[in-house]
Amino acid sequence: MRSKRVINPEQRVKVALIGCGCISYKHIKAITTNNSRAELMAICDTNPFKPEDAKALIAKAAIESKITPTAVKSFTSFSDLLEESKRKPEI
């Protein structure tokens, strides 16, 4: 049986965005808007240009939300994201 993990409401949840297509800006905006509760730590897409486009969207969303953008790592492979990331995503 899988144990349920309880997340402290005072702690930020680490999120990795897999897929940087058309809807990704809405996800980026939602995570950025809720930056006191969630931290976007990585983005991943098989198209090597998509994560770079997403980084521009992250900067735009941060400006709109009036926050300082955090450093977000980009990957073209989901398995690489999990292997190389020292801060594993929770979602």
Side-chain angles (χ1 to χ4, degrees):
M1 178 188 273
R2 189 173 179 181
S3 65
K4 292 183 179 179
R5 182 171 177 209
V6 178
I7 297 174
N8 179 348
E10 302 298 318
Q11 183 180 13
R12 289 171 47 174
V13 176
K14 297 176 199 132
V15 179
L17 179 62
I18 310 300
C20 300
C22 298
I23 193 99
S24 64
Y25 181 70
K26 291 193 181 269
H27 297 302
I28 290 167
K29 181 74 172 165
I31 295 164
T32 305
T33 301
N34 292 292
N35 74 319
S36 64
R37 297 166 57 196
E39 172 191 4
L40 182 59
M41 51 146 305
I43 50 179
C44 179
D45 197 289
T46 55
N47 179 335
F49 299 107
K50 291 282 188 175
E52 294 309 313
D53 293 343
K55 284 186 175 185
L57 294 175
I58 292 165
K60 179 182 175 188
I63 290 168
E64 290 173 358
S65 299
K66 298 179 181 163
I67 63 164
T68 304
T70 58
V72 177
K73 293 179 97 177
S74 61
F75 297 89
T76 55
S77 164
F78 175 67
S79 58
D80 289 347
L81 181 152
L82 293 177
E83 285 179 27
E84 292 183 28
S85 180
K86 293 179 183 174
R87 302 175 301 158
K88 300 288 186 200
E90 294 161 342
I91 295 180

